[in-house]
Amino acid sequence: MSRRRTSILEAAARVVAQRGIRGLRVEELAEEAGVSTSLIYYHFQDRAGLLSHTLEFISTRAEQYTEPATDPDADPRGHLEEMLLLELQDTPVVIENSTAWGELRATAVFQPELREQLRTATARWTDYAADLIDRAQQRGGIPPEVSAEDTAERLTTLIEGLSKRWLSGSLTLDRARDLLRGAITAELGPRP
């Protein structure tokens, strides 16, 4: 991806996090990114294309900051726990990404064209979590009766809810992380 295109997507994520989807105006985005509006249209065709690429950018960026240090082959459960907790960090990029993700998810209620892309991004995340649960079950780190798919769905859904409550000031970050740790133990059982 070209540096110019990346800077436009960074600016789009920033604008969506600060002003919401309704506040995303191509002219203001161009000013924020330091480019012309025609360059934005050149790269993304229209507002829908811009939103689609912004969602893809946010998903990719989240994969980067949630990459655990724990080896998924040596400790799949530890890798999963660390990956989930990394979704709740008090850093500018995580706050911006989580805010923009929540805004895009809420917008999909009213803009069906975003739904399939959100479904695909969510499924990729949930499937990876389910795979880690399966691997941990094979190693004896999670009881065999735990449904990997259902548990992954509940945990990833919980993170989105905790993130929204934290970002909106309803929960402190520490409380959100404590609740997530408790849910992980409740879902996966205590560590052996």
Side-chain angles (χ1 to χ4, degrees):
M1 182 181 311
S2 74
R3 180 67 204 139
R4 185 76 60 148
R5 187 177 170 101
T6 300
S7 71
I8 294 169
L9 291 170
E10 288 170 343
R14 207 169 32 255
V15 170
V16 168
Q18 293 169 355
R19 300 182 199 142
I21 298 290
R22 290 185 184 109
L24 180 63
R25 305 282 181 264
V26 175
E27 297 76 21
E28 292 173 8
L29 173 59
E31 185 177 324
E32 177 80 21
V35 299
S36 67
T37 56
S38 60
L39 187 62
I40 292 174
Y41 287 116
Y42 170 78
H43 282 293
F44 305 106
Q45 282 74 46
D46 56 20
R47 191 168 187 276
L50 175 63
L51 288 177
S52 174
H53 283 89
T54 301
L55 176 58
E56 184 180 318
F57 174 78
I58 289 168
S59 295
T60 300
R61 192 163 65 169
E63 289 171 8
Q64 293 166 357
Y65 67 70
T66 60
E67 182 58 39
T70 306
D71 181 357
D73 295 323
D75 183 5
R77 179 178 174 150
H79 184 88
L80 173 67
E81 291 175 8
E82 189 178 350
M83 177 186 77
L84 296 173
L85 285 163
L86 286 170
E87 289 284 349
L88 300 170
Q89 300 179 61
D90 191 12
T91 64
V93 71
V94 174
I95 292 168
E96 180 180 284
N97 233 48
S98 296
T99 303
W101 177 264
E103 179 66 18
L104 286 160
R105 172 131 358 250
T107 300
V109 171
F110 305 103
Q111 293 184 357
E113 62 273 11
L114 286 174
R115 291 180 189 165
E116 185 57 36
Q117 191 176 0
L118 274 163
R119 186 180 302 115
T120 300
T122 301
R124 191 171 56 241
W125 181 33
T126 304
D127 290 348
Y128 184 60
D131 178 62
L132 291 168
I133 293 168
D134 280 335
R135 288 198 253 169
Q137 286 174 314
Q138 293 167 13
R139 297 177 66 88
I142 295 174
E145 63 273 7
V146 170
S147 167
E149 293 79 19
D150 292 351
T151 300
E153 193 78 50
R154 284 190 295 268
L155 288 173
T156 56
T157 300
L158 176 64
I159 286 173
E160 287 186 1
L162 289 172
S163 179
K164 284 180 185 172
R165 287 193 179 188
W166 161 54
L167 292 169
S168 67
S170 299
L171 285 176
T172 66
L173 178 59
D174 288 339
R175 178 73 174 140
R177 290 175 66 89
D178 286 344
L179 289 169
L180 179 56
R181 284 186 192 96
I184 289 169
T185 300
E187 289 284 346
L188 304 180
R191 272 191 167 270

PDB file of all heavy atoms in Angstrom, residues 70-102:
ATOM      1  N   THR A  70       3.104 -14.495  23.443  1.00  0.00           N
ATOM      2  CA  THR A  70       2.983 -15.921  23.754  1.00  0.00           C
ATOM      3  C   THR A  70       2.851 -16.732  22.466  1.00  0.00           C
ATOM      4  O   THR A  70       2.028 -16.422  21.608  1.00  0.00           O
ATOM      5  CB  THR A  70       1.751 -16.164  24.653  1.00  0.00           C
ATOM      6  OG1 THR A  70       1.835 -15.319  25.793  1.00  0.00           O
ATOM      7  CG2 THR A  70       1.667 -17.608  25.095  1.00  0.00           C
ATOM      8  N   ASP A  71       3.649 -17.781  22.355  1.00  0.00           N
ATOM      9  CA  ASP A  71       3.645 -18.652  21.173  1.00  0.00           C
ATOM     10  C   ASP A  71       2.334 -19.443  21.115  1.00  0.00           C
ATOM     11  O   ASP A  71       2.012 -20.165  22.058  1.00  0.00           O
ATOM     12  CB  ASP A  71       4.842 -19.597  21.260  1.00  0.00           C
ATOM     13  CG  ASP A  71       4.971 -20.536  20.079  1.00  0.00           C
ATOM     14  OD1 ASP A  71       4.101 -20.525  19.184  1.00  0.00           O
ATOM     15  OD2 ASP A  71       5.953 -21.295  20.049  1.00  0.00           O
ATOM     16  N   PRO A  72       1.582 -19.339  20.012  1.00  0.00           N
ATOM     17  CA  PRO A  72       0.303 -20.050  19.930  1.00  0.00           C
ATOM     18  C   PRO A  72       0.457 -21.572  19.876  1.00  0.00           C
ATOM     19  O   PRO A  72      -0.468 -22.298  20.230  1.00  0.00           O
ATOM     20  CB  PRO A  72      -0.329 -19.521  18.641  1.00  0.00           C
ATOM     21  CG  PRO A  72       0.803 -19.036  17.820  1.00  0.00           C
ATOM     22  CD  PRO A  72       1.846 -18.570  18.801  1.00  0.00           C
ATOM     23  N   ASP A  73       1.617 -22.053  19.455  1.00  0.00           N
ATOM     24  CA  ASP A  73       1.838 -23.499  19.428  1.00  0.00           C
ATOM     25  C   ASP A  73       2.210 -24.042  20.801  1.00  0.00           C
ATOM     26  O   ASP A  73       1.765 -25.108  21.187  1.00  0.00           O
ATOM     27  CB  ASP A  73       2.922 -23.855  18.407  1.00  0.00           C
ATOM     28  CG  ASP A  73       2.500 -23.529  16.980  1.00  0.00           C
ATOM     29  OD1 ASP A  73       1.304 -23.718  16.654  1.00  0.00           O
ATOM     30  OD2 ASP A  73       3.352 -23.066  16.203  1.00  0.00           O
ATOM     31  N   ALA A  74       3.002 -23.292  21.524  1.00  0.00           N
ATOM     32  CA  ALA A  74       3.433 -23.740  22.852  1.00  0.00           C
ATOM     33  C   ALA A  74       2.343 -23.544  23.905  1.00  0.00           C
ATOM     34  O   ALA A  74       2.182 -24.371  24.807  1.00  0.00           O
ATOM     35  CB  ALA A  74       4.699 -22.982  23.267  1.00  0.00           C
ATOM     36  N   ASP A  75       1.586 -22.451  23.805  1.00  0.00           N
ATOM     37  CA  ASP A  75       0.564 -22.138  24.806  1.00  0.00           C
ATOM     38  C   ASP A  75      -0.628 -21.450  24.124  1.00  0.00           C
ATOM     39  O   ASP A  75      -0.785 -20.235  24.218  1.00  0.00           O
ATOM     40  CB  ASP A  75       1.169 -21.232  25.899  1.00  0.00           C
ATOM     41  CG  ASP A  75       0.193 -20.915  27.027  1.00  0.00           C
ATOM     42  OD1 ASP A  75      -0.937 -21.465  27.042  1.00  0.00           O
ATOM     43  OD2 ASP A  75       0.555 -20.099  27.889  1.00  0.00           O
ATOM     44  N   PRO A  76      -1.474 -22.234  23.432  1.00  0.00           N
ATOM     45  CA  PRO A  76      -2.583 -21.620  22.722  1.00  0.00           C
ATOM     46  C   PRO A  76      -3.558 -20.872  23.631  1.00  0.00           C
ATOM     47  O   PRO A  76      -4.077 -19.821  23.268  1.00  0.00           O
ATOM     48  CB  PRO A  76      -3.266 -22.783  21.996  1.00  0.00           C
ATOM     49  CG  PRO A  76      -2.709 -24.021  22.569  1.00  0.00           C
ATOM     50  CD  PRO A  76      -1.418 -23.681  23.231  1.00  0.00           C
ATOM     51  N   ARG A  77      -3.772 -21.382  24.827  1.00  0.00           N
ATOM     52  CA  ARG A  77      -4.671 -20.688  25.749  1.00  0.00           C
ATOM     53  C   ARG A  77      -4.068 -19.356  26.190  1.00  0.00           C
ATOM     54  O   ARG A  77      -4.741 -18.338  26.218  1.00  0.00           O
ATOM     55  CB  ARG A  77      -4.988 -21.553  26.963  1.00  0.00           C
ATOM     56  CG  ARG A  77      -5.905 -20.834  27.937  1.00  0.00           C
ATOM     57  CD  ARG A  77      -6.291 -21.659  29.124  1.00  0.00           C
ATOM     58  NE  ARG A  77      -7.047 -20.855  30.067  1.00  0.00           N
ATOM     59  CZ  ARG A  77      -7.965 -21.331  30.862  1.00  0.00           C
ATOM     60  NH1 ARG A  77      -8.269 -22.620  30.845  1.00  0.00           N
ATOM     61  NH2 ARG A  77      -8.607 -20.537  31.696  1.00  0.00           N
ATOM     62  N   GLY A  78      -2.796 -19.358  26.537  1.00  0.00           N
ATOM     63  CA  GLY A  78      -2.124 -18.121  26.919  1.00  0.00           C
ATOM     64  C   GLY A  78      -2.120 -17.108  25.785  1.00  0.00           C
ATOM     65  O   GLY A  78      -2.310 -15.908  25.997  1.00  0.00           O
ATOM     66  N   HIS A  79      -1.920 -17.604  24.568  1.00  0.00           N
ATOM     67  CA  HIS A  79      -1.945 -16.738  23.389  1.00  0.00           C
ATOM     68  C   HIS A  79      -3.329 -16.103  23.239  1.00  0.00           C
ATOM     69  O   HIS A  79      -3.443 -14.894  22.995  1.00  0.00           O
ATOM     70  CB  HIS A  79      -1.587 -17.570  22.147  1.00  0.00           C
ATOM     71  CG  HIS A  79      -1.474 -16.794  20.882  1.00  0.00           C
ATOM     72  ND1 HIS A  79      -0.304 -16.209  20.475  1.00  0.00           N
ATOM     73  CD2 HIS A  79      -2.395 -16.523  19.924  1.00  0.00           C
ATOM     74  CE1 HIS A  79      -0.495 -15.603  19.317  1.00  0.00           C
ATOM     75  NE2 HIS A  79      -1.765 -15.770  18.963  1.00  0.00           N
ATOM     76  N   LEU A  80      -4.369 -16.914  23.396  1.00  0.00           N
ATOM     77  CA  LEU A  80      -5.744 -16.423  23.299  1.00  0.00           C
ATOM     78  C   LEU A  80      -6.027 -15.369  24.367  1.00  0.00           C
ATOM     79  O   LEU A  80      -6.545 -14.288  24.066  1.00  0.00           O
ATOM     80  CB  LEU A  80      -6.733 -17.578  23.430  1.00  0.00           C
ATOM     81  CG  LEU A  80      -8.212 -17.189  23.524  1.00  0.00           C
ATOM     82  CD1 LEU A  80      -8.684 -16.572  22.211  1.00  0.00           C
ATOM     83  CD2 LEU A  80      -9.051 -18.409  23.887  1.00  0.00           C
ATOM     84  N   GLU A  81      -5.687 -15.677  25.607  1.00  0.00           N
ATOM     85  CA  GLU A  81      -5.939 -14.731  26.702  1.00  0.00           C
ATOM     86  C   GLU A  81      -5.223 -13.404  26.460  1.00  0.00           C
ATOM     87  O   GLU A  81      -5.816 -12.334  26.626  1.00  0.00           O
ATOM     88  CB  GLU A  81      -5.503 -15.342  28.033  1.00  0.00           C
ATOM     89  CG  GLU A  81      -6.384 -16.489  28.477  1.00  0.00           C
ATOM     90  CD  GLU A  81      -5.880 -17.185  29.738  1.00  0.00           C
ATOM     91  OE1 GLU A  81      -4.922 -16.703  30.368  1.00  0.00           O
ATOM     92  OE2 GLU A  81      -6.464 -18.235  30.083  1.00  0.00           O
ATOM     93  N   GLU A  82      -3.975 -13.484  26.058  1.00  0.00           N
ATOM     94  CA  GLU A  82      -3.200 -12.270  25.801  1.00  0.00           C
ATOM     95  C   GLU A  82      -3.788 -11.485  24.625  1.00  0.00           C
ATOM     96  O   GLU A  82      -3.938 -10.261  24.695  1.00  0.00           O
ATOM     97  CB  GLU A  82      -1.743 -12.639  25.521  1.00  0.00           C
ATOM     98  CG  GLU A  82      -0.822 -11.451  25.464  1.00  0.00           C
ATOM     99  CD  GLU A  82       0.632 -11.845  25.222  1.00  0.00           C
ATOM    100  OE1 GLU A  82       0.982 -13.041  25.283  1.00  0.00           O
ATOM    101  OE2 GLU A  82       1.423 -10.921  24.947  1.00  0.00           O
ATOM    102  N   MET A  83      -4.173 -12.187  23.550  1.00  0.00           N
ATOM    103  CA  MET A  83      -4.763 -11.538  22.390  1.00  0.00           C
ATOM    104  C   MET A  83      -6.034 -10.774  22.784  1.00  0.00           C
ATOM    105  O   MET A  83      -6.234  -9.625  22.394  1.00  0.00           O
ATOM    106  CB  MET A  83      -5.102 -12.574  21.316  1.00  0.00           C
ATOM    107  CG  MET A  83      -5.784 -11.998  20.094  1.00  0.00           C
ATOM    108  SD  MET A  83      -6.330 -13.267  18.917  1.00  0.00           S
ATOM    109  CE  MET A  83      -7.801 -13.897  19.719  1.00  0.00           C
ATOM    110  N   LEU A  84      -6.885 -11.407  23.582  1.00  0.00           N
ATOM    111  CA  LEU A  84      -8.134 -10.767  23.988  1.00  0.00           C
ATOM    112  C   LEU A  84      -7.867  -9.551  24.875  1.00  0.00           C
ATOM    113  O   LEU A  84      -8.478  -8.491  24.687  1.00  0.00           O
ATOM    114  CB  LEU A  84      -9.033 -11.779  24.701  1.00  0.00           C
ATOM    115  CG  LEU A  84      -9.516 -12.957  23.850  1.00  0.00           C
ATOM    116  CD1 LEU A  84     -10.259 -13.963  24.718  1.00  0.00           C
ATOM    117  CD2 LEU A  84     -10.372 -12.500  22.688  1.00  0.00           C
ATOM    118  N   LEU A  85      -6.947  -9.678  25.812  1.00  0.00           N
ATOM    119  CA  LEU A  85      -6.652  -8.558  26.712  1.00  0.00           C
ATOM    120  C   LEU A  85      -5.992  -7.390  25.981  1.00  0.00           C
ATOM    121  O   LEU A  85      -6.173  -6.235  26.373  1.00  0.00           O
ATOM    122  CB  LEU A  85      -5.783  -9.030  27.878  1.00  0.00           C
ATOM    123  CG  LEU A  85      -6.546  -9.846  28.935  1.00  0.00           C
ATOM    124  CD1 LEU A  85      -5.590 -10.628  29.813  1.00  0.00           C
ATOM    125  CD2 LEU A  85      -7.445  -8.941  29.766  1.00  0.00           C
ATOM    126  N   LEU A  86      -5.265  -7.674  24.910  1.00  0.00           N
ATOM    127  CA  LEU A  86      -4.632  -6.598  24.141  1.00  0.00           C
ATOM    128  C   LEU A  86      -5.653  -5.720  23.411  1.00  0.00           C
ATOM    129  O   LEU A  86      -5.322  -4.631  22.961  1.00  0.00           O
ATOM    130  CB  LEU A  86      -3.618  -7.174  23.145  1.00  0.00           C
ATOM    131  CG  LEU A  86      -2.314  -7.671  23.768  1.00  0.00           C
ATOM    132  CD1 LEU A  86      -1.490  -8.454  22.742  1.00  0.00           C
ATOM    133  CD2 LEU A  86      -1.509  -6.517  24.344  1.00  0.00           C
ATOM    134  N   GLU A  87      -6.891  -6.187  23.320  1.00  0.00           N
ATOM    135  CA  GLU A  87      -7.959  -5.353  22.745  1.00  0.00           C
ATOM    136  C   GLU A  87      -8.318  -4.192  23.664  1.00  0.00           C
ATOM    137  O   GLU A  87      -8.946  -3.237  23.234  1.00  0.00           O
ATOM    138  CB  GLU A  87      -9.215  -6.190  22.482  1.00  0.00           C
ATOM    139  CG  GLU A  87      -9.092  -7.152  21.336  1.00  0.00           C
ATOM    140  CD  GLU A  87      -9.181  -6.492  19.971  1.00  0.00           C
ATOM    141  OE1 GLU A  87      -9.542  -5.306  19.883  1.00  0.00           O
ATOM    142  OE2 GLU A  87      -8.887  -7.180  18.985  1.00  0.00           O
ATOM    143  N   LEU A  88      -7.948  -4.292  24.923  1.00  0.00           N
ATOM    144  CA  LEU A  88      -8.273  -3.266  25.910  1.00  0.00           C
ATOM    145  C   LEU A  88      -6.983  -2.640  26.423  1.00  0.00           C
ATOM    146  O   LEU A  88      -6.441  -3.045  27.453  1.00  0.00           O
ATOM    147  CB  LEU A  88      -9.078  -3.884  27.073  1.00  0.00           C
ATOM    148  CG  LEU A  88     -10.412  -4.525  26.697  1.00  0.00           C
ATOM    149  CD1 LEU A  88     -10.989  -5.300  27.879  1.00  0.00           C
ATOM    150  CD2 LEU A  88     -11.391  -3.486  26.195  1.00  0.00           C
ATOM    151  N   GLN A  89      -6.467  -1.675  25.675  1.00  0.00           N
ATOM    152  CA  GLN A  89      -5.238  -0.975  26.037  1.00  0.00           C
ATOM    153  C   GLN A  89      -5.484   0.531  25.986  1.00  0.00           C
ATOM    154  O   GLN A  89      -6.162   1.016  25.083  1.00  0.00           O
ATOM    155  CB  GLN A  89      -4.124  -1.269  25.031  1.00  0.00           C
ATOM    156  CG  GLN A  89      -3.718  -2.707  24.895  1.00  0.00           C
ATOM    157  CD  GLN A  89      -2.625  -2.820  23.848  1.00  0.00           C
ATOM    158  OE1 GLN A  89      -1.546  -2.239  23.996  1.00  0.00           O
ATOM    159  NE2 GLN A  89      -2.878  -3.561  22.790  1.00  0.00           N
ATOM    160  N   ASP A  90      -4.887   1.226  26.914  1.00  0.00           N
ATOM    161  CA  ASP A  90      -5.024   2.686  26.945  1.00  0.00           C
ATOM    162  C   ASP A  90      -3.911   3.326  26.118  1.00  0.00           C
ATOM    163  O   ASP A  90      -3.021   3.981  26.642  1.00  0.00           O
ATOM    164  CB  ASP A  90      -4.985   3.184  28.391  1.00  0.00           C
ATOM    165  CG  ASP A  90      -5.379   4.641  28.508  1.00  0.00           C
ATOM    166  OD1 ASP A  90      -5.891   5.197  27.527  1.00  0.00           O
ATOM    167  OD2 ASP A  90      -5.159   5.231  29.585  1.00  0.00           O
ATOM    168  N   THR A  91      -3.967   3.088  24.812  1.00  0.00           N
ATOM    169  CA  THR A  91      -3.016   3.696  23.888  1.00  0.00           C
ATOM    170  C   THR A  91      -3.822   4.412  22.805  1.00  0.00           C
ATOM    171  O   THR A  91      -4.937   3.990  22.481  1.00  0.00           O
ATOM    172  CB  THR A  91      -2.092   2.644  23.235  1.00  0.00           C
ATOM    173  OG1 THR A  91      -2.892   1.762  22.437  1.00  0.00           O
ATOM    174  CG2 THR A  91      -1.327   1.839  24.281  1.00  0.00           C
ATOM    175  N   PRO A  92      -3.267   5.461  22.230  1.00  0.00           N
ATOM    176  CA  PRO A  92      -4.021   6.208  21.212  1.00  0.00           C
ATOM    177  C   PRO A  92      -4.516   5.345  20.053  1.00  0.00           C
ATOM    178  O   PRO A  92      -5.657   5.484  19.617  1.00  0.00           O
ATOM    179  CB  PRO A  92      -3.032   7.272  20.745  1.00  0.00           C
ATOM    180  CG  PRO A  92      -2.129   7.482  21.909  1.00  0.00           C
ATOM    181  CD  PRO A  92      -1.991   6.120  22.550  1.00  0.00           C
ATOM    182  N   VAL A  93      -3.685   4.445  19.544  1.00  0.00           N
ATOM    183  CA  VAL A  93      -4.098   3.648  18.388  1.00  0.00           C
ATOM    184  C   VAL A  93      -5.229   2.687  18.748  1.00  0.00           C
ATOM    185  O   VAL A  93      -6.164   2.495  17.965  1.00  0.00           O
ATOM    186  CB  VAL A  93      -2.902   2.909  17.734  1.00  0.00           C
ATOM    187  CG1 VAL A  93      -2.387   1.781  18.600  1.00  0.00           C
ATOM    188  CG2 VAL A  93      -3.277   2.398  16.358  1.00  0.00           C
ATOM    189  N   VAL A  94      -5.187   2.095  19.927  1.00  0.00           N
ATOM    190  CA  VAL A  94      -6.246   1.171  20.337  1.00  0.00           C
ATOM    191  C   VAL A  94      -7.547   1.938  20.587  1.00  0.00           C
ATOM    192  O   VAL A  94      -8.624   1.511  20.158  1.00  0.00           O
ATOM    193  CB  VAL A  94      -5.836   0.345  21.580  1.00  0.00           C
ATOM    194  CG1 VAL A  94      -6.996  -0.499  22.091  1.00  0.00           C
ATOM    195  CG2 VAL A  94      -4.649  -0.551  21.248  1.00  0.00           C
ATOM    196  N   ILE A  95      -7.449   3.068  21.250  1.00  0.00           N
ATOM    197  CA  ILE A  95      -8.643   3.879  21.502  1.00  0.00           C
ATOM    198  C   ILE A  95      -9.266   4.318  20.180  1.00  0.00           C
ATOM    199  O   ILE A  95     -10.477   4.194  19.971  1.00  0.00           O
ATOM    200  CB  ILE A  95      -8.302   5.081  22.404  1.00  0.00           C
ATOM    201  CG1 ILE A  95      -7.952   4.586  23.812  1.00  0.00           C
ATOM    202  CG2 ILE A  95      -9.455   6.083  22.445  1.00  0.00           C
ATOM    203  CD1 ILE A  95      -7.336   5.637  24.712  1.00  0.00           C
ATOM    204  N   GLU A  96      -8.439   4.808  19.280  1.00  0.00           N
ATOM    205  CA  GLU A  96      -8.939   5.250  17.977  1.00  0.00           C
ATOM    206  C   GLU A  96      -9.550   4.091  17.203  1.00  0.00           C
ATOM    207  O   GLU A  96     -10.657   4.192  16.657  1.00  0.00           O
ATOM    208  CB  GLU A  96      -7.791   5.864  17.180  1.00  0.00           C
ATOM    209  CG  GLU A  96      -8.193   6.363  15.812  1.00  0.00           C
ATOM    210  CD  GLU A  96      -7.005   6.956  15.098  1.00  0.00           C
ATOM    211  OE1 GLU A  96      -6.617   8.090  15.451  1.00  0.00           O
ATOM    212  OE2 GLU A  96      -6.459   6.275  14.203  1.00  0.00           O
ATOM    213  N   ASN A  97      -8.848   2.975  17.151  1.00  0.00           N
ATOM    214  CA  ASN A  97      -9.330   1.819  16.403  1.00  0.00           C
ATOM    215  C   ASN A  97     -10.635   1.285  16.985  1.00  0.00           C
ATOM    216  O   ASN A  97     -11.579   1.010  16.253  1.00  0.00           O
ATOM    217  CB  ASN A  97      -8.268   0.713  16.435  1.00  0.00           C
ATOM    218  CG  ASN A  97      -7.908   0.202  15.079  1.00  0.00           C
ATOM    219  OD1 ASN A  97      -7.656   0.976  14.172  1.00  0.00           O
ATOM    220  ND2 ASN A  97      -7.864  -1.104  14.938  1.00  0.00           N
ATOM    221  N   SER A  98     -10.675   1.137  18.303  1.00  0.00           N
ATOM    222  CA  SER A  98     -11.872   0.593  18.946  1.00  0.00           C
ATOM    223  C   SER A  98     -13.066   1.515  18.776  1.00  0.00           C
ATOM    224  O   SER A  98     -14.188   1.056  18.550  1.00  0.00           O
ATOM    225  CB  SER A  98     -11.604   0.345  20.434  1.00  0.00           C
ATOM    226  OG  SER A  98     -10.613  -0.643  20.591  1.00  0.00           O
ATOM    227  N   THR A  99     -12.830   2.817  18.858  1.00  0.00           N
ATOM    228  CA  THR A  99     -13.904   3.783  18.657  1.00  0.00           C
ATOM    229  C   THR A  99     -14.416   3.718  17.217  1.00  0.00           C
ATOM    230  O   THR A  99     -15.625   3.678  16.974  1.00  0.00           O
ATOM    231  CB  THR A  99     -13.423   5.209  18.993  1.00  0.00           C
ATOM    232  OG1 THR A  99     -12.950   5.222  20.344  1.00  0.00           O
ATOM    233  CG2 THR A  99     -14.537   6.221  18.846  1.00  0.00           C
ATOM    234  N   ALA A 100     -13.502   3.690  16.270  1.00  0.00           N
ATOM    235  CA  ALA A 100     -13.891   3.624  14.855  1.00  0.00           C
ATOM    236  C   ALA A 100     -14.605   2.301  14.549  1.00  0.00           C
ATOM    237  O   ALA A 100     -15.604   2.283  13.819  1.00  0.00           O
ATOM    238  CB  ALA A 100     -12.674   3.803  13.962  1.00  0.00           C
ATOM    239  N   TRP A 101     -14.111   1.205  15.106  1.00  0.00           N
ATOM    240  CA  TRP A 101     -14.751  -0.110  14.890  1.00  0.00           C
ATOM    241  C   TRP A 101     -16.188  -0.073  15.413  1.00  0.00           C
ATOM    242  O   TRP A 101     -17.114  -0.516  14.730  1.00  0.00           O
ATOM    243  CB  TRP A 101     -13.967  -1.213  15.587  1.00  0.00           C
ATOM    244  CG  TRP A 101     -14.611  -2.558  15.455  1.00  0.00           C
ATOM    245  CD1 TRP A 101     -15.435  -3.165  16.352  1.00  0.00           C
ATOM    246  CD2 TRP A 101     -14.509  -3.461  14.352  1.00  0.00           C
ATOM    247  NE1 TRP A 101     -15.842  -4.388  15.880  1.00  0.00           N
ATOM    248  CE2 TRP A 101     -15.283  -4.593  14.656  1.00  0.00           C
ATOM    249  CE3 TRP A 101     -13.822  -3.411  13.145  1.00  0.00           C
ATOM    250  CZ2 TRP A 101     -15.408  -5.676  13.782  1.00  0.00           C
ATOM    251  CZ3 TRP A 101     -13.942  -4.497  12.280  1.00  0.00           C
ATOM    252  CH2 TRP A 101     -14.724  -5.613  12.605  1.00  0.00           C
ATOM    253  N   GLY A 102     -16.384   0.450  16.607  1.00  0.00           N
ATOM    254  CA  GLY A 102     -17.726   0.544  17.167  1.00  0.00           C
ATOM    255  C   GLY A 102     -18.637   1.408  16.317  1.00  0.00           C
ATOM    256  O   GLY A 102     -19.816   1.095  16.116  1.00  0.00           O
TER     257      GLY A 102
END
